[in-house]
Amino acid sequence: MAENQPLQAQDKLAFLLALVPYLIDRERVSVAEAARHFGVSETRIRRAVELIAVSGIPGETMQYQHGDLFDIAWDDFDQNDMIVLTNLVAIDDSPRLSAREASALIAGLQYLSALPEAADRDAIRSLMAKLSRGAGGAAGTVAVGQELHDATLTTIRQAMSGHRGLVFDYVGPRTQGSTRRVDPLRVESIDTDWYLRAWDLDRQALRTFRLDRMSAVRVDERAATHSIDDVEIPDTLFQQSATDVIVTVELEASSLPLVADFLADTADAPDGDGRVRIRLAASAGFDGVVRLVAGLPGRAVVLDPPAARDAVRAFAAAALAAG
């Protein structure tokens, strides 16, 4: 996988399924060596190991006890960047599945069960039971630990499984808050960020929403009128419209996270003064670009095209006149 490409949900699952048996086979491996082997950054390896360490199978009481989770030698990991698995889940003295197979599948199912689009719960429960029996232990259910977006994901899952609409308040990085009415279609994750792909009823178009910018999420009483079968969802999260204009903006590198979700391509490397050039896809009126500059006073400058610079200049003149 290319290093500059973020991991999407299906890529992250495949990565975990490969990483667990790799770690088991080597018993003790450095973060740097694992990163070189998989062609990813050391940060991604650390995040994956931390996810593995909170995966497991609860006991009969459906509560996690000692030995129900994967575990690693944390001191070695934190101080020496070495990965050593000290406890493997669903492995007994005489497993019918190998340690590699059972551990990899448990870790993969742990992640898969958190995705709202995994709607066939009966099939997942059946697979989990077979895995537990095949690993030589009593049948059990894989449970998902608490995540930052659990409540929102649960509500989205309820709307999707009940074929209902969704209502929530949304605040974008350059927009004021508004109430959105959508038909939820798919949830995806890129690294640590989660996104909802949905059909926006007020805009009559496909839109992408970050879960950490959604609040007051609730299931709508109305039935959803759009499904994933009749809406074409692009592979990339943000799509450039045929009528969009590419605007070049220079801003402080520290402000880049505020606009990272909406870049038309990758940002340039920072210059000696810590400033970067980015390109944004904007509508012909440049309202979004004007809001961006207004929200980053003194930190963002529009370079091109001239029409975008004129729009920002007109906004500044109007603001001065009003003052």
Side-chain angles (χ1 to χ4, degrees):
M1 62 191 72
E3 176 50 33
N4 60 353
Q5 292 296 320
L7 290 178
Q8 298 193 23
Q10 60 270 29
D11 298 323
K12 196 179 298 183
L13 175 58
F15 181 45
L16 284 175
L17 290 173
L19 179 60
V20 171
Y22 171 84
L23 297 178
I24 292 173
D25 280 349
R26 280 149 187 80
E27 298 184 355
R28 177 180 170 87
V29 63
S30 70
V31 171
E33 182 180 349
R36 287 193 299 270
H37 178 82
F38 287 99
V40 299
S41 68
E42 294 182 13
T43 298
R44 284 185 178 171
I45 292 293
R46 293 189 187 94
R47 287 177 180 170
V49 170
E50 290 168 356
L51 178 58
I52 291 171
V54 294
S55 301
I57 298 180
E60 295 180 357
T61 63
M62 299 308 297
Q63 295 180 351
Y64 287 103
Q65 304 294 329
H66 177 70
D68 292 335
L69 295 171
F70 285 88
D71 201 6
I72 69 170
W74 287 105
D75 288 344
D76 215 5
F77 183 67
D78 293 334
Q79 299 172 14
N80 305 318
D81 262 359
M82 298 299 297
I83 308 169
V84 180
L85 296 181
T86 59
N87 186 59
L88 305 178
V89 177
I91 306 300
D92 64 9
D93 293 335
S94 56
R96 287 187 289 270
L97 288 178
S98 71
R100 295 181 61 197
E101 292 168 333
S103 295
L105 288 172
I106 286 289
L109 286 173
Q110 180 78 21
Y111 178 76
L112 181 62
S113 63
L115 300 178
E117 61 265 36
D120 195 344
R121 302 296 165 189
D122 291 337
I124 292 178
R125 282 194 293 269
S126 175
L127 182 56
M128 290 176 180
K130 291 178 181 178
L131 173 62
S132 181
R133 291 194 298 270
T141 302
V142 173
V144 179
Q146 291 296 316
E147 297 288 345
L148 178 63
H149 305 304
D150 267 2
T152 299
L153 287 170
T154 298
T155 304
I156 294 174
R157 182 182 293 119
Q158 291 172 348
M160 294 174 69
S161 62
H163 305 290
R164 294 286 178 179
L166 201 66
V167 181
F168 53 88
D169 297 332
Y170 191 74
V171 179
R174 307 187 305 276
T175 60
Q176 297 180 349
S178 61
T179 299
R180 313 300 282 267
R181 299 166 55 252
V182 306
D183 290 338
L185 303 175
R186 177 189 296 169
V187 172
E188 299 179 4
S189 69
I190 293 184
D191 288 335
T192 58
D193 297 319
W194 289 79
Y195 297 86
L196 169 67
R197 314 290 292 275
W199 184 265
D200 191 311
L201 296 183
D202 296 324
R203 293 155 181 79
Q204 286 298 300
L206 180 69
R207 289 291 185 268
T208 301
F209 305 94
R210 271 181 57 158
L211 265 64
D212 59 356
R213 293 174 182 156
M214 298 166 57
S215 61
V217 184
R218 62 255 188 212
V219 178
D220 202 346
E221 295 182 356
R222 64 173 183 81
T225 55
H226 298 80
S227 71
I228 198 167
D229 295 326
D230 51 40
V231 176
E232 183 177 353
I233 301 181
D235 292 333
T236 54
L237 285 176
F238 300 101
Q239 291 291 300
Q240 179 182 339
S241 167
T243 60
D244 283 346
V245 179
I246 298 299
V247 178
T248 302
V249 179
E250 183 182 271
L251 74 165
E252 294 178 358
S254 60
S255 301
L256 187 59
L258 299 175
V259 298
D261 294 336
F262 303 94
L263 300 183
D265 57 18
T266 56
D268 294 345
D271 60 20
D273 297 324
R275 297 183 66 83
V276 297
R277 289 192 177 189
I278 62 173
R279 285 152 293 279
L280 304 172
S283 59
F286 303 108
D287 291 340
V289 175
V290 169
R291 287 195 296 269
L292 167 67
V293 175
L296 298 171
R299 291 184 286 171
V301 178
V302 176
L303 302 179
D304 192 65
R309 292 174 57 86
D310 291 342
V312 174
R313 186 181 298 109
F315 168 80
L320 286 173

